[in-house]
């Protein structure tokens, strides 16, 4: 997404590595989190100014419980005042688990002979997409191992299939991908297929730790991974997602790494990350890790709040790796997207719920197995507004998170109306009566928050058209 002038002056060059571990440790080791400093930093973020590395170091070093509570409260306020109560819903779809790499933490690693290394064929892929559409999903992230079979053309074909399949009123309207880094030509190919966000996680930003976990294969090259998004942006993609796998190294370093990556993208491409992901290590087939750096729930909550404050314009994704109770709590600290109805065993969306789950068919174990409707139900209970909106990128408004954040009135003009309209579709096509009742109620309340009478009347009239059977109407 294109940025306004909040750039930090740094010497970074496009396509060149930018992480200096010593620099990051110096910040962490030489900042003292006094109450005044912490409060100043929180209010800087609340005035919508992005934090620099030194300020983030102050927050990650904060251990005083009262100040941590203030950091979390700050993140909560930022989320509420800037983004409101919407949560965007999506589902991951694993297309292929073959992998030539050997990441010690991952069930797909090539050395894991217990794992089923498999690729969905076209027919299986279509069945998965149909099953997802039958649940009401509109946004997918396709996930692949790193393997010679998964060429840019292969990835593009699966993206195109996802856009093409129609089951009843179902339709996938945005396809993001999480795939191994490509070269510039490869990125151009997947761009042409119409992907939304290209997401790749650095896993750990610490170069020596990285070596320890990535034993062989292309992914063992830290710098090639680090510059993946540079190549994506050089190829003309403009929605990119960053992430770190928490549990591989000191979480404070990883938070700093994510912010340093953000600085690099801003400095070199005038673009910030569309999304930030913070997966935490989960159990996996043949998991081979010690727990030295595992992140407990308190630190995990704290680091999410810090990331929210550090990069206030980025979307933040919390996945079904985390259990429902914790997700419900953490969502308030700045999360904008969650997956729902998630199944990550290859081919499992099309299977019945009674079929047993086999950990050898999965990359790792998820901890939230609620159905999409159960998640929607619980969000509605919390007066949150589930959204399947895909309007911005289809209307050419890329960088929507940045617009939501920086353009006054943008949320009331576009985000709330489109959330309402996509929920109206969900109610008509998929919601059981008890969810529908709750959802119309929350919709009405959200409609009432739009002060512009003309927009309000327009949305009400579109809702009537949806009730009469029209679909895919958006502002
Ligand atoms: N093969 C591609 C790659 O490595 O970039 C796709 C990524 S993988 C299918 C998606 C992400 O899952 C990885 O980037 C990693 O962060 C995460 N992951 C791998 N093993 C995990 C585990 N045991 N627990 C939680 N997350 C894990
Ligand atoms: Fe392969 Fe990705 Fe798993 Fe590594 S994390 S083994 S690259 S699927």
């Amino acid at each position: 997404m294109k940025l306004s002038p909040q750039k930090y002056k740094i010497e970074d060059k496009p396509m060149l590595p930018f992480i200096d571990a010593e620099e990051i440790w110096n910040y962490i080791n030489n900042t003292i989190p006094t109450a005044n400093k912490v409060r100043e930093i929180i209010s800087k973020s609340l005035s919508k100014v992005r934090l620099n590395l030194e300020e983030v170091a102050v927050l990650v070093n904060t251990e005083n419980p009262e100040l941590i509570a203030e950091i979390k409260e700050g993140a909560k306020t930022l989320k509420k005042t800037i983004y409101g109560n919407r949560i965007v819903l999506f589902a991951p779809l694993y297309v292929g688990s073959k992998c030539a790499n050997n990441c010690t933490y991952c069930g797909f690693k090539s050395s894991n002979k217990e794992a089923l290394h498999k690729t969905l064929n076209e027919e299986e892929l279509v069945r998965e997409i149909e099953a997802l559409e039958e649940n009401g999903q509109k946004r997918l992230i396709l996930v692949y191992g790193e393997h010679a079979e998964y060429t840019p053309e292969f990835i593009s074909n699966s993206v195109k299939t996802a856009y093409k399949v129609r089951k009843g009123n179902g339709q996938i309207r945005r396809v993001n991908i999480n795939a191994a880094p490509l070269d510039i030509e490869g990125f151009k190919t997947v761009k042409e297929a119409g992907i939304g966000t290209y997401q790749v996680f650095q896993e750990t930003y610490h170069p020596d730790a990285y070596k320890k976990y990535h034993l062989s294969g292309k992914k063992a090259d830290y710098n090639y991974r680090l510059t993946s998004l540079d190549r994506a942006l050089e190829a003309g993609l403009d929605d990119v997602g960053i992430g770190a796998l928490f549990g591989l190294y000191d979480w404070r370093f990883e938070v700093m790494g994510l912010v340093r990556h953000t600085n690099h993208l801003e400095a070199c491409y005038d673009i910030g990350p569309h999304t930030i992901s913070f997966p935490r290590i989960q159990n996996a087939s043949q998991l081979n890790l010690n727990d030295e750096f595992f992140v407990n729930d308190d630190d995990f909550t704290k680091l999410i709040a810090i990331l929210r404050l550090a990069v206030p314009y980025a979307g933040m994704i919390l996945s079904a790796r985390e259990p429902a109770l914790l997700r419900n709590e953490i969502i308030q600290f700045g999360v904008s997207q969650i997956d729902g109805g998630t199944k990550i065993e290859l081919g499992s969306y099309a299977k019945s719920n009674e079929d047993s789950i086999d950990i050898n068919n999965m990359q790792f174990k998820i901890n939230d197995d609620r159905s999409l409707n159960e998640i929607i139900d619980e969000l509605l209970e919390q007066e949150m507004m589930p959204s399947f909106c895909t309007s911005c990128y289809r209307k050419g408004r890329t960088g929507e998170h940045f617009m939501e954040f920086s353009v006054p009135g943008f949320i009331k003009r576009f985000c709330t109306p489109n959330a309402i309209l996509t929920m109206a579709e969900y109610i008509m096509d998929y919601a059981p009566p008890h969810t529908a009742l709750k959802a119309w109620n929350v919709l009405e309340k959200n409609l009432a928050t739009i002060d512009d009478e003309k927009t309000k009347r327009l949305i009400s009239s579109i809702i009537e058209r949806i009730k009469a059977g029209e679909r895919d109407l958006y502002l």
Side-chain angles (χ1 to χ4, degrees), residues 43-332:
S43 43
K44 179 175 172 188
S45 170
L46 288 177
S47 66
K48 296 187 170 189
V49 183
R50 200 159 86 55
L51 305 182
N52 61 33
L53 280 179
E54 193 181 345
E55 291 158 342
V56 178
V58 170
L59 297 187
V60 300
N61 279 331
T62 303
E63 282 179 355
N64 173 332
E66 241 173 72
L67 292 175
I68 293 176
E70 288 181 35
I71 291 174
K72 293 204 295 204
E73 207 42 49
K76 210 165 158 182
T77 308
L78 189 75
K79 154 132 170 103
K80 245 199 233 141
T81 52
I82 300 187
Y83 295 106
N85 61 348
R86 277 166 315 115
I87 290 284
V88 170
L89 294 165
F90 70 96
L93 169 53
Y94 277 73
V95 179
S97 60
K98 294 188 182 174
C99 194
N101 292 325
N102 229 336
C103 311
T104 48
Y105 45 80
C106 176
F108 292 167
K109 57 182 166 264
S110 58
S111 64
N112 183 4
K113 302 300 172 214
E114 311 274 296
L116 178 81
H117 297 284
K118 168 185 163 84
T119 308
L120 298 181
N121 63 31
E122 180 73 11
E123 204 181 300
E124 289 166 324
L125 180 62
V126 169
R127 277 210 300 272
E128 288 291 274
I129 297 162
E130 287 179 345
L132 284 157
E133 289 183 355
E134 278 177 332
N135 281 335
Q137 301 282 3
K138 298 283 185 276
R139 306 169 59 109
L140 299 184
I141 179 150
L142 302 188
V143 188
Y144 315 76
E146 180 157 9
H147 192 267
E149 253 181 48
Y150 309 146
T151 59
E153 292 71 25
F154 172 88
I155 293 174
S156 293
N157 284 338
S158 49
V159 170
K160 287 179 191 159
T161 301
Y163 282 125
K164 246 188 337 232
V165 171
R166 293 281 190 283
K167 184 80 180 176
N169 280 338
Q171 177 189 18
I172 300 303
R173 299 175 182 156
R174 180 171 173 116
V175 182
N176 300 328
I177 61 172
N178 183 319
L182 304 173
D183 58 19
I184 295 178
E185 279 313 303
F187 278 121
K188 285 186 182 159
T189 306
V190 296
K191 178 180 158 60
E192 273 162 28
I195 65 163
T197 309
Y198 169 72
Q199 194 186 65
V200 71
F201 305 154
Q202 184 59 26
E203 319 298 12
T204 171
Y205 281 93
H206 193 274
D208 292 339
Y210 188 93
K211 263 191 220 139
K212 216 172 74 188
Y213 296 110
H214 301 100
L215 303 176
S216 57
K218 261 183 157 173
K219 193 165 165 182
D221 185 341
Y222 172 93
N223 283 336
Y224 188 72
R225 183 99 179 162
L226 191 65
T227 49
S228 309
L229 298 182
D230 289 54
R231 294 190 297 281
L233 294 165
E234 296 279 342
L237 283 167
D238 59 4
D239 265 354
V240 292
I242 61 174
L245 180 56
F246 283 88
L248 298 180
Y249 190 60
D250 190 310
W251 67 264
R252 298 170 305 161
F253 188 95
E254 307 298 11
V255 169
M256 296 287 285
L258 288 164
V259 176
R260 184 64 186 81
H261 200 163
T262 302
N263 293 351
H264 174 75
L265 298 177
E266 286 188 9
C268 296
Y269 296 98
D270 208 10
I271 257 177
H274 185 74
T275 51
I276 301 182
S277 299
F278 27 85
R280 219 170 22 158
I281 290 276
Q282 305 299 324
N283 197 10
S285 163
Q286 306 271 302
L287 183 75
N288 174 17
L289 279 190
N290 68 36
D291 58 6
E292 184 185 357
F293 294 116
F294 280 12
V295 182
N296 64 36
D297 290 353
D298 286 344
D299 285 341
F300 189 55
T301 312
K302 177 169 140 188
L303 76 86
I304 292 172
I306 294 173
L307 283 170
R308 173 69 300 152
L309 292 173
V311 194
Y313 62 76
M316 303 236 305
I317 302 180
L318 178 65
S319 79
R321 289 174 180 84
E322 303 300 336
L325 265 177
L326 188 69
R327 279 180 114 191
N328 285 345
E329 186 202 327
I330 291 180
I331 252 177
Q332 327 160 39

